[in-house]
Amino acid sequence: MKIFTVGSKSFVTSFQLAGVPGVISDTPQKALEDIRKLTDDSDVGLVLVSDDITESINDELTALRAEKSTLVFALPATGSEKTEVDYRVMLKKILGV
């Protein structure tokens, strides 16, 4: 299984230095499109996305997580503030409860 990153140039470049390929996306909609393409690839097991891009596409990502087996995980972008994530609510959305 492969790992990919999606996000800003600095986010993607930092992972590329560690050998993880990525796609630079300037807008949340382009990121969503890129994430959809990556999750359609059966060789991709994990997509790491910068959280500054995921804020406005959170509902779409939750729906994508429910239908695909590829893990899509948001990581803090450089300089982002610490935020609380309610994984229980996220899991309920994914499961449709």
Side-chain angles (χ1 to χ4, degrees):
M1 289 274 171
K2 297 178 184 176
I3 300 173
F4 276 87
T5 58
V6 175
S8 66
K9 184 175 181 175
S10 62
F11 182 83
V12 171
T13 302
S14 63
F15 279 95
Q16 286 176 333
L17 291 172
V20 178
V23 180
I24 297 170
S25 297
D26 298 326
T27 66
Q29 290 308 318
K30 180 167 180 338
L32 184 61
E33 185 180 309
D34 293 335
I35 294 165
R36 286 188 196 279
K37 287 178 188 173
L38 289 169
T39 57
D40 286 340
D41 185 345
S42 60
D43 289 337
V44 177
L46 176 62
V47 179
L48 302 172
V49 187
S50 61
D51 67 350
D52 58 342
I53 286 190
T54 61
E55 290 176 22
S56 63
I57 57 170
N58 244 345
D59 291 337
E60 292 91 339
L61 287 179
T62 300
L64 188 67
R65 288 177 180 119
E67 66 185 56
K68 303 285 184 173
S69 61
T70 304
L71 295 174
V72 179
F73 195 76
L75 293 177
T78 305
S80 65
E81 294 182 19
K82 183 178 176 180
T83 58
E84 294 292 324
V85 178
D86 191 345
Y87 289 105
R88 185 177 305 203
V89 171
M90 184 188 298
L91 188 57
K92 284 182 179 181
K93 282 184 182 179
I94 292 170
L95 297 175
V97 179

